Amino acid sequence: MPTDPFRHSAGPSGTAAPVPEPAAVPPFPARGRRVLVSGASRGLGRAVALAFAANGDRVAVHYGTRRAEAEKTLAGLDGDGHVLLGADLAAPEGAAGLADAAGEALGGIDVLVNNAAVNLPHPPESTAFPDWVDAWRRHVDVNLLATAHLSHRAAHRMIEQGTGGRIVNVGSRGAFRGEPGHPAYGATKAAVHALGQSLAVALAPYDIAVASVAPGFIETDRVAHRLTGPEGEAIRAQSPFGRVAEPAEIAAAVRWLASPEARWSSGTVMDLNGASYLRT
């Protein structure tokens, strides 16, 4: 192999014209990274922010409407240099503005975790058509389009930085198992999985790895009413462990997928459901 740092191509006159080789991407860091977590005011998003901060990373904590809860997340983070950012992700300009604001506040973006989502009940057999239309619009706007827009903006910043990056999407077991009472949620999470795989192929040449997690039920405020209600025991019995996940268990997997060692997992959809739903 030639050691010349230039490759050569024929110019208009047939003579060889030197063309600089692309600069080598430096090794992706394991700590001290700039991390944007969407939907980090509580629940899994909070646990993810805590996990990255404990790892020595700086975190942009995003919230939609729950500023007080997001401030609690921010106050609980180890280290310093973290930032609180509000944005309405249902609007494309809100998603773009969030990525830009996080990049400015942190001095760049190395890791994006797409966690923000809505999950509103709309069983098809009992939901009026106007409410059905509204539910689908809200789920698509936040769960799918905001994930796509944030990923696009963050990926462009990562490419400009020239240092690689990681994008981790929070999908759902419901993309495979079905969500009869929340069909738009299941459908948009399936789309998030597919989006992540497309981005994994497109962004690999820039050393940007993209992966998704597909959790089952998690012990969070969002589903507390279901876990403590009459169906709670049945939900816990879905797993042979007889329980649902702790947020920290899912956050640990998200943090690993954003690590240097997880590059070869790019494109994966990692099932995190305590063997409550098995697929091949």
mmCIF file of all heavy atoms in Angstrom, residues 25-42:
data_model
loop_
_atom_site.group_PDB
_atom_site.id
_atom_site.type_symbol
_atom_site.label_atom_id
_atom_site.label_comp_id
_atom_site.label_asym_id
_atom_site.label_seq_id
_atom_site.Cartn_x
_atom_site.Cartn_y
_atom_site.Cartn_z
ATOM 1 N N VAL A 25 -11.079 9.813 11.665
ATOM 2 C CA VAL A 25 -11.920 10.164 12.797
ATOM 3 C C VAL A 25 -11.229 9.692 14.067
ATOM 4 O O VAL A 25 -10.821 8.531 14.163
ATOM 5 C CB VAL A 25 -13.311 9.506 12.665
ATOM 6 C CG1 VAL A 25 -14.167 9.794 13.893
ATOM 7 C CG2 VAL A 25 -14.000 9.987 11.398
ATOM 8 N N PRO A 26 -11.042 10.561 15.054
ATOM 9 C CA PRO A 26 -10.376 10.141 16.292
ATOM 10 C C PRO A 26 -11.216 9.126 17.048
ATOM 11 O O PRO A 26 -12.421 9.014 16.832
ATOM 12 C CB PRO A 26 -10.235 11.456 17.074
ATOM 13 C CG PRO A 26 -11.308 12.339 16.537
ATOM 14 C CD PRO A 26 -11.455 11.978 15.086
ATOM 15 N N PRO A 27 -10.596 8.371 17.945
ATOM 16 C CA PRO A 27 -11.360 7.390 18.726
ATOM 17 C C PRO A 27 -12.494 8.056 19.485
ATOM 18 O O PRO A 27 -12.334 9.139 20.054
ATOM 19 C CB PRO A 27 -10.315 6.815 19.690
ATOM 20 C CG PRO A 27 -9.001 7.075 19.026
ATOM 21 C CD PRO A 27 -9.162 8.363 18.275
ATOM 22 N N PHE A 28 -13.645 7.401 19.485
ATOM 23 C CA PHE A 28 -14.805 7.970 20.171
ATOM 24 C C PHE A 28 -14.585 7.876 21.676
ATOM 25 O O PHE A 28 -14.213 6.823 22.199
ATOM 26 C CB PHE A 28 -16.074 7.219 19.772
ATOM 27 C CG PHE A 28 -17.337 7.897 20.237
ATOM 28 C CD1 PHE A 28 -17.745 9.084 19.658
ATOM 29 C CD2 PHE A 28 -18.110 7.349 21.246
ATOM 30 C CE1 PHE A 28 -18.912 9.722 20.075
ATOM 31 C CE2 PHE A 28 -19.277 7.972 21.673
ATOM 32 C CZ PHE A 28 -19.673 9.169 21.084
ATOM 33 N N PRO A 29 -14.798 8.973 22.413
ATOM 34 C CA PRO A 29 -14.484 8.972 23.848
ATOM 35 C C PRO A 29 -15.484 8.164 24.664
ATOM 36 O O PRO A 29 -16.644 8.013 24.300
ATOM 37 C CB PRO A 29 -14.554 10.461 24.217
ATOM 38 C CG PRO A 29 -15.511 11.047 23.232
ATOM 39 C CD PRO A 29 -15.284 10.290 21.950
ATOM 40 N N ALA A 30 -15.021 7.661 25.797
ATOM 41 C CA ALA A 30 -15.870 6.909 26.710
ATOM 42 C C ALA A 30 -16.466 7.797 27.792
ATOM 43 O O ALA A 30 -17.463 7.441 28.423
ATOM 44 C CB ALA A 30 -15.068 5.783 27.370
ATOM 45 N N ARG A 31 -15.871 8.974 28.027
ATOM 46 C CA ARG A 31 -16.322 9.885 29.064
ATOM 47 C C ARG A 31 -16.189 11.320 28.569
ATOM 48 O O ARG A 31 -15.568 11.568 27.534
ATOM 49 C CB ARG A 31 -15.491 9.710 30.345
ATOM 50 C CG ARG A 31 -15.626 8.356 31.012
ATOM 51 C CD ARG A 31 -14.591 8.182 32.125
ATOM 52 N NE ARG A 31 -14.658 9.251 33.116
ATOM 53 C CZ ARG A 31 -15.479 9.263 34.147
ATOM 54 N NH1 ARG A 31 -16.329 8.259 34.324
ATOM 55 N NH2 ARG A 31 -15.478 10.265 35.011
ATOM 56 N N GLY A 32 -16.758 12.246 29.312
ATOM 57 C CA GLY A 32 -16.624 13.649 28.975
ATOM 58 C C GLY A 32 -17.339 14.056 27.703
ATOM 59 O O GLY A 32 -17.002 15.057 27.074
ATOM 60 N N ARG A 33 -18.363 13.309 27.334
ATOM 61 C CA ARG A 33 -19.072 13.569 26.088
ATOM 62 C C ARG A 33 -20.201 14.579 26.309
ATOM 63 O O ARG A 33 -20.634 14.826 27.422
ATOM 64 C CB ARG A 33 -19.621 12.260 25.524
ATOM 65 C CG ARG A 33 -18.539 11.263 25.169
ATOM 66 C CD ARG A 33 -19.095 9.878 24.968
ATOM 67 N NE ARG A 33 -19.761 9.371 26.162
ATOM 68 C CZ ARG A 33 -20.295 8.161 26.277
ATOM 69 N NH1 ARG A 33 -20.236 7.337 25.238
ATOM 70 N NH2 ARG A 33 -20.870 7.780 27.387
ATOM 71 N N ARG A 34 -20.675 15.110 25.191
ATOM 72 C CA ARG A 34 -21.774 16.077 25.210
ATOM 73 C C ARG A 34 -23.032 15.343 24.766
ATOM 74 O O ARG A 34 -23.127 14.904 23.622
ATOM 75 C CB ARG A 34 -21.420 17.240 24.301
ATOM 76 C CG ARG A 34 -20.144 17.960 24.763
ATOM 77 C CD ARG A 34 -19.444 18.689 23.666
ATOM 78 N NE ARG A 34 -18.964 17.814 22.592
ATOM 79 C CZ ARG A 34 -18.237 18.240 21.556
ATOM 80 N NH1 ARG A 34 -17.890 19.513 21.469
ATOM 81 N NH2 ARG A 34 -17.857 17.400 20.621
ATOM 82 N N VAL A 35 -23.995 15.224 25.694
ATOM 83 C CA VAL A 35 -25.141 14.320 25.515
ATOM 84 C C VAL A 35 -26.444 15.105 25.574
ATOM 85 O O VAL A 35 -26.693 15.849 26.527
ATOM 86 C CB VAL A 35 -25.150 13.223 26.609
ATOM 87 C CG1 VAL A 35 -26.298 12.252 26.386
ATOM 88 C CG2 VAL A 35 -23.813 12.492 26.647
ATOM 89 N N LEU A 36 -27.288 14.925 24.568
ATOM 90 C CA LEU A 36 -28.639 15.489 24.570
ATOM 91 C C LEU A 36 -29.636 14.361 24.801
ATOM 92 O O LEU A 36 -29.651 13.379 24.051
ATOM 93 C CB LEU A 36 -28.926 16.178 23.231
ATOM 94 C CG LEU A 36 -30.385 16.599 22.967
ATOM 95 C CD1 LEU A 36 -30.909 17.531 24.056
ATOM 96 C CD2 LEU A 36 -30.517 17.228 21.581
ATOM 97 N N VAL A 37 -30.445 14.491 25.846
ATOM 98 C CA VAL A 37 -31.489 13.514 26.153
ATOM 99 C C VAL A 37 -32.836 14.214 26.028
ATOM 100 O O VAL A 37 -33.146 15.138 26.797
ATOM 101 C CB VAL A 37 -31.335 12.942 27.573
ATOM 102 C CG1 VAL A 37 -32.414 11.888 27.834
ATOM 103 C CG2 VAL A 37 -29.950 12.345 27.772
ATOM 104 N N SER A 38 -33.644 13.803 25.076
ATOM 105 C CA SER A 38 -34.980 14.393 24.935
ATOM 106 C C SER A 38 -35.936 13.726 25.913
ATOM 107 O O SER A 38 -35.795 12.549 26.236
ATOM 108 C CB SER A 38 -35.484 14.263 23.497
ATOM 109 O OG SER A 38 -35.800 12.917 23.184
ATOM 110 N N GLY A 39 -36.900 14.507 26.401
ATOM 111 C CA GLY A 39 -37.875 13.961 27.340
ATOM 112 C C GLY A 39 -37.242 13.490 28.626
ATOM 113 O O GLY A 39 -37.514 12.375 29.077
ATOM 114 N N ALA A 40 -36.413 14.342 29.247
ATOM 115 C CA ALA A 40 -35.635 13.923 30.417
ATOM 116 C C ALA A 40 -36.178 14.472 31.725
ATOM 117 O O ALA A 40 -35.478 14.473 32.733
ATOM 118 C CB ALA A 40 -34.172 14.346 30.241
ATOM 119 N N SER A 41 -37.426 14.918 31.740
ATOM 120 C CA SER A 41 -37.952 15.525 32.962
ATOM 121 C C SER A 41 -38.249 14.497 34.049
ATOM 122 O O SER A 41 -38.219 14.825 35.246
ATOM 123 C CB SER A 41 -39.211 16.341 32.652
ATOM 124 O OG SER A 41 -40.223 15.519 32.101
ATOM 125 N N ARG A 42 -38.536 13.249 33.668
ATOM 126 C CA ARG A 42 -38.853 12.230 34.657
ATOM 127 C C ARG A 42 -38.704 10.847 34.017
ATOM 128 O O ARG A 42 -38.320 10.724 32.863
ATOM 129 C CB ARG A 42 -40.276 12.409 35.186
ATOM 130 C CG ARG A 42 -41.359 12.318 34.119
ATOM 131 C CD ARG A 42 -42.750 12.483 34.690
ATOM 132 N NE ARG A 42 -43.784 12.267 33.687
ATOM 133 C CZ ARG A 42 -45.067 12.074 33.972
ATOM 134 N NH1 ARG A 42 -45.472 12.068 35.230
ATOM 135 N NH2 ARG A 42 -45.947 11.885 33.000
#
